Amino acid sequence: MKLSFCIIAKNEAHQLGECLQTVGKLVDEMIVVDTGSRDGTPEVAKNMGARVYEFSWCDDFASARNAGLKYVTGDWVLVLDADERLMEGIIPQIRGLINQEDYLLINLVRQEIGAVQSPYSLVSRLFRNHPDLYFSRPYHALVDDSVMEILRREPQWRIGSIPEIAIAHYGYSADAIAEKNKQQRACEAMESYLKQHPDDPYLASKLGALYVQLGKLSAGIDLLEKGLKQASGIEGGTMYELHYHLGIAYSKRGQLEAAEAQYKKAIAVNVFPQLKIGAYNNLGNLLKGRGNLKAALWAYETTIEIDPLFSLGYYNLGMTLRAMGNSQKAIASYQKAISLNPHYGEAYQNLGAALLGIGNIPDSLKAFERAISVYEQTNPPEAKRLKKTLSEMGWRL
């Protein structure tokens, strides 16, 4: 089977080459749709062997992506963004699945690099080049709507998924969001689409979550609850997102029992375990805050069982173990978190406190010094506060 790669890009010269390099060993052709670059993006693409086509930007991601689909010649299509990278280890599985005759779409697990609570998502980015398959929605464009229509007419097709991490996504760090003003653009695009599609549970999950993130709790809760009422028969990922973000919203509003119920409902949804890490972690935070340390311990342990590289899970496990009086295990958990994330200021600080608690002054001082060093780069006020506290204790740094 011939596999085409398709991407839309604007002013991505600084990172497009690396993206194209990760797919080069897999795909048979690369199509780049440029939407108005001024930084040499088309030249980077051409130098990597891609064919470049121009598209006049119209504030509609689906239209731009569909423009690219017109140029692909392969039997299958892989779609990424410039801030995404294909994991090399997934290539054999992709090759195997696209050579099976009955798959229409293969869902891929994406790792959200820099995400604090929800490090994984599921994306529909690998699909057969079917004449009736296309992207919809101006923001969060996806092919799922057309896929569902095809399946209703042609039930012989199957939807597949690869549980291993296929894509690394670097676009949702705080810096990237601020740089591109993603939140405002997303809000405007989705609100416009909502006026035309008021009964769309997927849109309710995305816009409702954004409202909650922006502090518009009432609007977010109303939209997320509306999405649940519309959600009969929808795929698991959307159902999970609705419950998960309702949990966040209720927690921010102080309705902790309601939040706990939503997190538990999110966990019960039939999706890949990696996607549930955020719900387990947030449930653990809620339970710990309410004094139910044993249940919180279970929630945090579950996060690292699902993903042994989840540094936040080890940190939260350490906090809970220390609250339960188990300093030695707490120290080991902090150290594991630091080994996974060497720039984890809070882990160094709490490691220092735990070491101090058992009388290990030299190592405690080293941990506090490292915490200050990290904070000076990431959180200067906290570095100053910690220095002052240690100075008042008579420690010379």
Side-chain angles (χ1 to χ4, degrees), residues 363-378:
D363 287 342
S364 174
L365 180 58
K366 290 178 183 178
F368 283 132
E369 288 176 337
R370 182 57 181 152
I372 291 170
S373 176
V374 172
Y375 283 145
E376 285 176 340
Q377 301 300 317
T378 62

Side-chain angles (χ1 to χ4, degrees), residues 37-72:
S37 296
R38 298 178 179 178
D39 68 343
T41 293
E43 288 71 26
V44 171
K46 290 174 184 177
N47 289 338
M48 295 293 296
R51 302 203 311 273
V52 179
Y53 301 90
E54 295 182 0
F55 178 82
S56 297
W57 182 244
C58 57
D59 294 324
D60 189 326
F61 284 90
S63 295
R65 292 200 189 279
N66 288 331
L69 295 183
K70 296 177 183 178
Y71 301 111
V72 302

Side-chain angles (χ1 to χ4, degrees), residues 102-354:
D102 57 348
Y103 279 113
L104 178 65
L105 170 74
I106 307 296
N107 286 305
L108 303 175
V109 174
R110 183 175 69 180
Q111 184 175 11
E112 309 293 349
I113 306 298
V116 177
Q117 295 184 348
S118 297
Y120 300 100
S121 60
L122 196 67
V123 293
S124 48
R125 299 290 195 81
L126 179 63
F127 47 86
R128 191 177 293 273
N129 188 11
H130 189 288
D132 295 327
L133 194 151
Y134 58 89
F135 285 91
S136 59
R137 306 166 192 270
Y139 200 90
H140 289 297
L142 73 172
V143 298
D144 300 52
D145 296 331
S146 64
V147 166
M148 292 300 105
E149 287 297 323
I150 293 170
L151 289 175
R152 277 190 276 271
R153 299 193 311 268
E154 304 171 24
Q156 74 274 15
W157 295 114
R158 281 200 296 160
I159 305 297
S161 298
I162 300 176
E164 289 78 16
I165 300 169
I167 300 169
H169 181 212
Y170 294 88
Y172 282 96
S173 66
D175 290 343
I177 291 172
E179 178 185 346
K180 296 185 179 181
N181 195 21
K182 286 186 175 182
Q183 291 179 333
Q184 186 59 35
R185 286 166 41 208
C187 202
E188 292 173 357
M190 287 190 283
E191 286 175 341
S192 176
Y193 191 77
L194 180 65
K195 293 177 182 178
Q196 303 171 35
H197 305 82
D199 301 320
D200 186 336
Y202 176 84
L203 178 61
S205 74
K206 295 299 183 184
L207 183 55
L210 183 54
Y211 281 152
V212 172
Q213 187 178 356
L214 295 173
K216 302 177 181 180
L217 296 184
S218 295
I221 289 172
D222 289 346
L223 191 53
L224 291 166
E225 289 182 337
K226 180 181 179 183
L228 283 175
K229 293 177 182 177
Q230 301 161 342
S232 177
I234 65 170
E235 54 89 17
T238 299
M239 183 68 80
Y240 170 82
E241 291 287 328
L242 288 164
H243 286 302
Y244 172 67
H245 289 289
L246 267 174
I248 294 174
Y250 283 129
S251 182
K252 287 185 174 182
R253 191 184 259 184
Q255 296 175 250
L256 302 185
E257 291 184 3
E260 180 177 340
Q262 291 299 326
Y263 287 136
K264 289 179 176 178
K265 289 178 180 179
I267 288 168
V269 175
N270 184 24
V271 293
F272 285 144
Q274 298 102 308
L275 307 184
K276 302 181 184 183
I277 287 177
Y280 279 113
N281 184 71
N282 286 5
L283 177 61
N285 293 343
L286 190 152
L287 293 167
K288 180 175 177 291
R290 299 172 69 185
N292 192 345
L293 299 181
K294 185 176 181 181
L297 195 70
W298 162 81
Y300 295 138
E301 287 175 338
T302 303
T303 68
I304 59 178
E305 286 174 8
I306 295 171
D307 181 9
L309 302 180
F310 186 48
S311 61
L312 179 61
Y314 288 101
Y315 171 77
N316 284 331
L317 190 62
M319 296 290 284
T320 307
L321 287 165
R322 189 172 172 221
M324 297 173 75
N326 195 333
S327 295
Q328 292 293 346
K329 285 188 175 181
I331 289 168
S333 293
Y334 293 139
Q335 291 171 333
K336 181 63 175 180
I338 289 167
S339 72
L340 294 169
N341 179 7
H343 304 288
Y344 206 152
E346 293 85 353
Y348 283 112
Q349 182 175 349
N350 282 280
L351 173 62

